[in-house]
Every structure is written in structure tokens, then in C-alpha cells.
């Protein structure tokens, strides 16, 4: 029984009609939903296969958040101790140490800034190692989103092996960006207190970081699709991100919806269950699903702005083509009709 079920799962049921050209989707929207339906179970498998690469970053985030919240809670307890004289959960050593810090609001702010800087520095290796993994996922989801076959493990591994240098280059720049933006933003912010002109480089730094983040939407799909140099990869991806700015921003905002719902539920209810559900979503399918959405979007952009201008390159893969209908009409004609 089990063997027959597995055979049906991989090869289909006997006697079932063949998949014809008329069954192909006619629009990108139809293609997306059809491929999502077909590949959803594999997206779960792909997500679980790559989740281990995210563990260092997740552990770092958890440690930073808990340490910061504990530090802020201690300073709040000390402020209450100064007003009421009750020690609460504070120890004498903590009271003595906090007494040397002076203003508690300033101490809490300094603690948060220190934790953010520490997070940015420790996140560099955690983010850098994700590049090759993103390249492997980009290759697999690119094929699935345009109705092409891809083995989860072997094709993922081959894509990592072939693109790891460029992928590491992109992820290394992305990992350094939080430190650069945070340090630069604080520096120019302090300078703008005496000269408002420093607001210009401060905002420019934020804009450049945002453009890079949007460019990353195209970088990994592009590196697994075309043979380009690293400089061409960066340039072409940034040009596409700026040229398709509203659509790219829209895709990025759509991908933030699950996180916004989870944190919103936590903010209004205070229930940790909302965060746990959000964590389970990303651990099970969230990351792979977001890459699938991006692959569907970048496939359409590449077809319109790159593939259509390259001789002999197939476009609109997975979609029903007008020439297919014309070929069918020619084959169906009888000698008398001709």
C-alpha cells in the first residue's frame, strides 16, 4: 500500500490525461498560483533544509533582545528604588554599580546604543555566511516559479558551488552595511546639531542603504541566471531596482506582512504566542516562500528587460504562447482545408 502511494506521489496515477498546452497558464498571476500549489510541499522541505544557516543570526538576535530588555528593566527598578527606597529584586552590588552611572535615562539610552553596536558587529559573520545559501535557494525557486524541474538538494548544492564567490561578495557588503549606516547616521546626527547641512549626508546614507537592499532583490536571482562579472551584477541589479522602484518596494512590503502581523499582535495583546507563531512560520516555510515570490517577480523583470533583448533566449517560460496556438491550428487543418 505504501509503495503504491509513493509511486502515485512521484509519477502520478495511471490513466490520467496528459498535461496539454491548453493547461498552461496564460498570465504571470496564474503561473504564480499554479506553481505555488504544485511546489508548496517542496517549499517546506527547502525551508527546513536551509534554516540551520540562520541559527547563528537568530541566536544573536535573541541574546541581544533579552540582554537589552533585562538591562532596561534593571534601570527602571533602580529609578523606582530611588523614589520609594524599596530594593525589590535588585541586589546591593547592582545598586552600587547603578549609583555610579548617574542619570538613569541616559544610562538606559547608552545601554541600548551599546547593544545595537554590538549586534551590528557580531551580525557581520552571521550575515556573510548566508550568501551562498541564498544563491542555492534562488536557483531552485527560480526554476520552480517558471515551471521547470529542480532537485532540492543536488541543484541547490550545484548552485552554491558555482556561485559562492559572488554570493559571498554580496552578503559581505550587506553584512557591513548595518555598521556603516549606524555609525554614519549617529555621526552626522551629532554634527547636524551644530550645522543643519549634515542632515543631507545623513539622509543620503539611509537612501543608499535602502537602494542596496532593493538591489539585493535581483542580485541572487541574476547571479544564478546569467554569466556576469561581480561589477556587472551589482550595477545591473541596482539599475533594475531603481527602474522598477514602485514594484520592487511593493514586493518588499508584501514580504513584510507576516512579520508586521506577528509583531502587531504582540504589541496589542502582549502575548508571546504571537511571536512563537511568527517564528514557526519562518522556520517552516516563510523564508522559502518569500524567495519563491521574489523569483516569480524577477523572472518577469528579466524577461521584459533582459531576455527579450537577447537573441535566441526563451521568454515567458511556463506560460502558454500565442505561437503554440498557431501551431495547433496548422496541425489540425485537413488537406481539403489547405
Amino acid at each position: 500500500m505504501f509503495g503504491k502511494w509513493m509511486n502515485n506521489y512521484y509519477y502520478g496515477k495511471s490513466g490520467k490525461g496528459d498535461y496539454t498546452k491548453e493547461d498552461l497558464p496564460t498570465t504571470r498571476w496564474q503561473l504564480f498560483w499554479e506553481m505555488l500549489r504544485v511546489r508548496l510541499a517542496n517549499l517546506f522541505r527547502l525551508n527546513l533544509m536551509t534554516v540551520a544557516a540562520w541559527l547563528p543570526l537568530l541566536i544573536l538576535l535573541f541574546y541581544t533582545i533579552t540582554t537589552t530588555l533585562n538591562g532596561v528593566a534593571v534601570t527602571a527598578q533602580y529609578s523606582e528604588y530611588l523614589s520609594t527606597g524599596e530594593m525589590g529584586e535588585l541586589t546591593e552590588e547592582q545598586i552600587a554599580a547603578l549609583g555610579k552611572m548617574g542619570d538613569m535615562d541616559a544610562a538606559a539610552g547608552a545601554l541600548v546604543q551599546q547593544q545595537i553596536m554590538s549586534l551590528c558587529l557580531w551580525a557581520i559573520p552571521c550575515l556573510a555566511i548566508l550568501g551562498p545559501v541564498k544563491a542555492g535557494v534562488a536557483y531552485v525557486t527560480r526554476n520552480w516559479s517558471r515551471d521547470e524541474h529542480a532537485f532540492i538538494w543536488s541543484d541547490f548544492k550545484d548552485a552554491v558551488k558555482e556561485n559562492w564567490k559572488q554570493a559571498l561578495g554580496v552578503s559581505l557588503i550587506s553584512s557591513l552595511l548595518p555598521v556603516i549606516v549606524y555609525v554614519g547616521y549617529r555621526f552626522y546626527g551629532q554634527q547636524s546639531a551644530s550645522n543643519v547641512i549634515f542632515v543631507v549626508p545623513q539622509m543620503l546614507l539611509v537612501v543608499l542603504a535602502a537602494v542596496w537592499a532593493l538591489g539585493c532583490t535581483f542580485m541572487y536571482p541574476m547571479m544564478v541566471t546569467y554569466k556576469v562579472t561581480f561589477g556587472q551584477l551589482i550595477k545591473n541589479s541596482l539599475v533594475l531596482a531603481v527602474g522598477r522602484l514602485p514594484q520592487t518596494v511593493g514586493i518588499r512590503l508584501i514580504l513584510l506582512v507576516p512579520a508586521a502581523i506577528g509583531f502587531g499582535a504582540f504589541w496589542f495583546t502582549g502575548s508571546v504566542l504571537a511571536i512563537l507563531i511568527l517564528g514557526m512560520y519562518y522556520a517552516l516555510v516563510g523564508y522559502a516562500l518569500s524567495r519563491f515570490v521574489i523569483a516569480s517577480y524577477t523572472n518577469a523583470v528579466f524577461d521584459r528587460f533582459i531576455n527579450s533583448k537577447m537573441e535566441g533566449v526563451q521568454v515567458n517560460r511556463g506560460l502558454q504562447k500565442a505561437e503554440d496556438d498557431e501551431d495547433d491550428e496548422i496541425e489540425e487543418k485537413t488537406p481539403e482545408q489547405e
Side-chain angles (χ1 to χ4, degrees):
M1 181 66 181
F2 180 75
K4 183 182 296 184
W5 181 84
M6 290 298 293
N7 184 70
N8 290 338
Y9 180 80
Y10 282 106
Y11 302 107
K13 296 180 179 180
S14 60
K16 190 175 181 180
D18 292 334
Y19 195 73
T20 63
K21 294 178 181 178
E22 289 74 15
D23 296 322
L24 291 173
T26 57
T27 66
R28 296 275 178 186
W29 190 246
Q30 293 175 355
L31 178 64
F32 169 77
W33 287 110
E34 179 64 17
M35 292 303 100
L36 179 61
R37 180 187 67 81
V38 172
R39 299 296 185 179
L40 184 58
N42 286 333
L43 288 175
F44 276 91
R45 295 170 58 191
L46 180 64
N47 200 93
L48 292 174
M49 187 180 72
T50 59
V51 71
W54 290 88
L55 286 179
L57 181 62
L58 295 176
I59 294 172
L60 176 63
L61 288 172
F62 178 79
Y63 173 79
T64 302
I65 292 173
T66 54
T67 302
T68 304
L69 292 178
N70 290 335
V72 172
V74 169
T75 56
Q77 292 174 9
Y78 182 73
S79 298
E80 185 177 354
Y81 163 75
L82 294 178
S83 60
T84 64
E86 297 181 0
M87 294 178 57
E89 298 180 357
L90 294 175
T91 64
E92 294 182 357
E93 291 78 8
Q94 287 176 324
I95 293 175
L98 291 168
K100 299 177 182 179
M101 294 183 180
D103 185 11
M104 284 298 98
D105 291 337
L111 173 65
V112 172
Q113 293 176 4
Q114 180 184 1
Q115 291 297 324
I116 293 176
M117 188 62 187
S118 177
L119 172 63
C120 291
L121 291 174
W122 282 104
I124 292 176
C126 298
L127 291 172
I129 63 175
L130 294 176
V133 175
K134 290 182 178 181
V137 174
Y139 179 85
V140 175
T141 54
R142 182 208 67 181
N143 281 18
W144 287 349
S145 62
R146 63 188 191 186
D147 196 15
E148 292 181 342
H149 177 72
F151 290 107
I152 294 181
W153 173 244
S154 59
D155 285 334
F156 170 86
K157 182 181 64 175
D158 291 342
V160 169
K161 183 178 179 180
E162 186 174 351
N163 300 280
W164 69 270
K165 292 182 180 179
Q166 289 189 341
L168 272 180
V170 172
S171 61
L172 183 59
I173 296 175
S174 299
S175 66
L176 293 172
L177 207 58
V179 177
I180 297 173
V181 172
Y182 180 69
V183 173
Y185 189 88
R186 286 194 61 198
F187 172 77
Y188 290 121
Q190 293 170 354
Q191 298 299 317
S192 64
S194 58
N195 190 343
V196 72
I197 194 64
F198 283 99
V199 174
V200 175
Q202 185 184 35
M203 293 298 102
L204 182 61
L205 192 63
V206 175
V207 171
L208 291 176
V211 171
W212 175 265
L214 294 176
C216 287
T217 305
F218 298 94
M219 290 179 192
Y220 293 101
M222 183 173 290
M223 75 174 62
V224 300
T225 304
Y226 305 101
K227 295 292 184 181
V228 293
T229 64
F230 187 72
Q232 292 172 334
L233 173 69
I234 301 301
K235 176 185 175 181
N236 294 341
S237 298
L238 294 178
V239 168
L240 288 175
V242 174
R244 304 291 291 176
L245 188 61
Q247 296 85 346
T248 306
V249 171
I251 288 293
R252 284 295 188 178
L253 292 177
I254 290 173
L255 296 180
L256 291 176
V257 169
I261 294 174
F263 285 111
F266 174 75
W267 178 266
F268 288 108
T269 65
S271 174
V272 182
L273 181 61
I275 302 299
L276 292 177
I277 294 175
L278 180 64
M280 289 296 295
Y281 164 75
Y282 281 108
L284 292 175
V285 73
Y287 174 67
L289 180 59
S290 68
R291 297 300 98 183
F292 182 84
V293 173
I294 287 177
S296 300
Y297 169 64
T298 54
N299 285 344
V301 174
F302 292 161
D303 274 348
R304 179 175 179 181
F305 294 99
I306 300 178
N307 296 339
S308 60
K309 296 177 174 59
M310 299 173 66
E311 186 178 355
V313 176
Q314 182 181 352
V315 298
N316 298 328
R317 301 188 185 190
L319 293 175
Q320 187 178 150
K321 304 178 182 62
E323 54 266 28
D324 292 338
D325 297 333
E326 295 175 359
D327 293 341
D328 291 342
E329 291 177 1
I330 294 175
E331 291 175 359
E332 291 173 359
K333 286 183 177 181
T334 63
E336 290 78 7
Q337 290 174 319
E338 296 178 351

